[in-house]
Every structure is written in structure tokens, then in C-alpha cells.
Amino acid sequence: MRDFAYARAGTAEAAVGTLAAPRTAVIAGGTELLNWFRLGIAAADRVVDIGGLDELRGIARDGDELRIGALATLNEVGEHPLVTRLAGALASACLQAASAQVRNRATIGGNVLQRTRCPYFRAEEPLPWPCNKRDPGSGCASLAGRHERQAIFGWTQDCVAVQPSDPAVALAALDARADVLGPAGPRTIPMREFHLTQREAAAAGEPMRETRLGADELITGYRLPVSTAGQAYVKVRERASYEYAIVSAAAAVRLAESAGGPRAAGAGEQRIAAARVALGSVAQRPWRLTAAEAELPGTPLTREALLPVIERAMADAVPLPQNGFKVTMARNAAVRALLAAGGAA
């Protein structure tokens, strides 16, 4: 155990001010940061607690937007009537994350910043194997070792890890934006761009960077556009509780109008008017299937019609020797999410 100084921030601006000092960490729910300290993933000389900042709490509708404070816990988000009604995929993603006990502490602001669950990365120090995230330049043990749960998009020879957050996938699919506060003031980051794949990070000259959030910035909340589209989140995992996704998919579907309404019984074959779909645990960021989204309007809401659309959108997947099954699994999860969002599951 390493000693560190502890302080409670009085305002979000005060918390941001402390981040200018090196080796300063922010704590909210603490469900991830304390694990980093225990494993040696991170060390801090100062820890700033933002858990008492009421300005970062709350869930409310503001015109055509749903606003969610960064300190809202996963259970608060998942069970809030506004979220279940207006952002059902996000509610479902929050309630399928972790366990009920962890969800009572974990915040939605911290959840999207969690690190990969790669077992080579999550080992206690001193590491018995190379890991570029822990020891830059040492190599990636997973690349030549076990990688059945690793990336099928956007990976490089330096790292093949995936981002494990469930809410991040739904936020990306729903075109949410993160409100961020830094020394220069507030700004927003679209959640579909918030995380970086290894390839994107390498192209920017920072191969181990994982998000667009600056080291001196703080997530203060999220804004989601209000939509009447049906939504769903599908999580494929080895057990039904306290387990990370092998793959996941979030979808929002608006059906084409028919004479009796978009879901009228006996109105004939349902067709998609517009759709959004994102995959989780297939890359170091939620993976929007933009090619599928462009092709889906006019497509019948049937498994047979959806499968080839999703397959074409995933044609650029590059699986590793042990995780080719994730291509099929992710394809099927996307189809299931679209069918559920459209009311056909």
C-alpha cells in the first residue's frame, strides 16, 4: 500500500484545478480506481473525492435532451423512469453491468473510464509478462498468448485489448454526448468518438491512449437526444451476473409507418425507417456499424433480411487466431438487438 493525500472537492471547478498536479487521481464510486491501486496499474500522490458534488448528480429531461449527471450510479440510471422510457438501451446496459452491490456504488461517469479486463493487464505487479499498457515498449503478451476475448476491430501489434463498459455501448448507439470540464472550460465529446482504438491512438502518436478525455479534464454528465425509437441492449456472457460481455450490441430502431401505425397488428411486413447499432467488447471503443445503418432503411424487420446487412457491415473485422467466433457472435447479437428494438424479438 502506498500513502497518498486525500481531499474532498467543493466544486467541479476545484476538482479540475487539482488535476494540473501530476499523479493526481479523482475518485467517485471507487469500484475501479481502488482496484488499479491494488494491482499496481495506477499510483497517486493525491486523491480528490468528487462524491459529494451534488452538481454532478441528477437525471432530468431538458427539452429534447435527457441529461444524466456523472455521479448517477448505474442502478439509479437503470431504474429511473425517464431513462427506461427515453433511453431503454442505456437502462438495460446499466442493469446488466457488474452486480447489484457494485451498481449501487459505480457511477456512470467512472464506468466509461474503466480499463480493459485483459488478464495480462490486470495482473498484480511485478508483471511476469510483457504488457505495453503497463510497461510501454515491452510487448503484448496476449497477442501470442490467450486472446479469445480480445479485439476483432482496430487492434495493432502493440495491443489487442477491448473496452469492457456496457453503458458506453448504449451511449454510443444513442448518439449521447459527454459534458466535460477542463482548465479551458466546458466542452462536449460525442460518445461514439470518446474512446480510441489502438489504431486511432497510434495514428495520433499516442499508441497507449484510450480516450479523448484529457488528463486534466472531468466528465460532468451526459446528454442524450430524446427519441421515440425502440431500443434494446443484448449482452452475451458466460453467466448472467457479475460478468463482462464476450460481445454485446445496442440498437435503436424506428419503424416505417403503416396504415395502422408502425406496430399495427396485421399491417403487413414491418420495415425499418431508421436504425442505429453499436457493438461492444469487439474493439477498444464501442463499434458503430455505420455501413449497416446506411443500408437498413427499408429493410424488413426479419432475421433473414438483417443478417446479410450486418455481415456486410462487419466485413472489415480482423479476428485473431483464437477469437474468430466473436465475428459470428457479434453479428448475431446485433441482429438480436435490432429485432428486440423493433419489437420483433
Side-chain angles (χ1 to χ4, degrees):
M1 184 66 186
R2 296 182 176 91
D3 291 338
F4 55 81
Y6 170 86
R8 292 182 179 178
T11 65
E13 289 78 9
V16 168
T18 67
L19 296 178
R23 293 174 61 89
T24 299
V26 169
I27 191 168
T31 58
E32 178 73 322
L33 183 66
L34 297 181
N35 279 324
W36 296 351
F37 288 174
R38 177 178 61 84
L39 294 172
I41 291 171
D45 294 331
R46 289 161 295 277
V47 173
V48 180
D49 191 340
I50 62 170
L53 300 182
D54 290 340
E55 62 188 288
L56 303 186
R57 299 188 184 279
I59 299 171
R61 180 169 180 170
D62 182 9
D64 292 333
E65 291 184 325
L66 178 63
R67 291 179 174 266
I68 300 175
L71 290 184
T73 67
L74 298 189
N75 271 342
E76 288 171 345
V77 176
E79 295 171 354
H80 198 284
L82 278 176
V83 183
T84 57
R85 180 164 56 90
L86 302 175
L90 177 60
S92 179
C94 287
L95 294 181
Q96 292 187 62
S99 66
Q101 296 89 338
V102 172
R103 292 194 301 268
N104 279 334
R105 289 289 304 169
T107 66
I108 194 167
N111 179 272
V112 303
L113 296 173
Q114 65 181 291
R115 307 291 299 275
T116 180
R117 314 311 295 189
C118 173
Y120 298 101
F121 172 79
R122 289 273 169 173
E124 292 187 17
E125 63 178 359
L127 286 184
W129 41 64
C131 173
N132 282 320
K133 286 187 181 297
R134 298 281 296 275
D135 183 14
S138 64
C140 175
S142 185
L143 190 63
R146 296 193 60 177
H147 48 246
E148 62 271 17
R149 284 179 170 256
Q150 307 289 41
I152 58 174
F153 294 105
W155 56 272
T156 68
Q157 294 292 314
D158 291 325
C159 182
V160 294
V162 300
Q163 164 56 233
S165 169
D166 292 299
V169 182
L171 289 166
L174 300 180
D175 287 331
R177 292 172 293 163
D179 287 324
V180 170
L181 183 64
R187 70 182 181 112
T188 62
I189 305 175
M191 284 306 296
R192 63 184 296 179
E193 301 173 4
F194 184 88
H195 296 92
L196 297 168
T197 67
Q198 292 90 338
R199 192 176 302 152
E200 291 167 337
E206 299 179 84
M208 290 302 109
R209 185 168 182 174
E210 298 179 12
T211 75
R212 298 184 191 275
L213 187 72
D216 55 357
E217 291 183 315
L218 182 71
I219 297 175
T220 59
Y222 303 92
R223 285 181 281 169
L224 292 75
V226 170
S227 171
T228 58
Q231 299 178 20
Y233 181 73
V234 171
K235 181 175 183 177
V236 181
R237 48 186 167 173
E238 291 185 348
R239 60 177 186 260
S241 178
Y242 203 45
E243 178 63 287
Y244 292 90
I246 301 173
V247 299
S248 65
V253 172
R254 180 167 58 84
L255 296 176
E257 294 286 344
S258 61
R263 299 175 189 269
E269 189 176 62
Q270 295 282 11
R271 290 183 178 269
I272 294 173
R276 287 166 285 163
V277 59
L279 300 175
S281 293
V282 297
Q284 198 171 250
R285 65 167 166 83
W287 197 262
R288 279 283 288 264
L289 295 177
T290 53
E293 294 174 5
E295 189 177 347
L296 283 169
T299 302
L301 189 67
T302 65
R303 176 177 171 81
E304 293 73 23
L306 295 175
L307 271 174
V309 176
I310 300 301
E311 285 176 345
R312 286 190 288 272
M314 294 184 61
D316 56 347
V318 182
L320 294 155
Q322 298 168 16
N323 72 357
F325 70 92
K326 290 185 72 169
V327 177
T328 301
M329 190 175 286
R331 178 204 67 186
N332 292 345
V335 171
R336 285 174 56 196
L338 287 164
L339 290 171

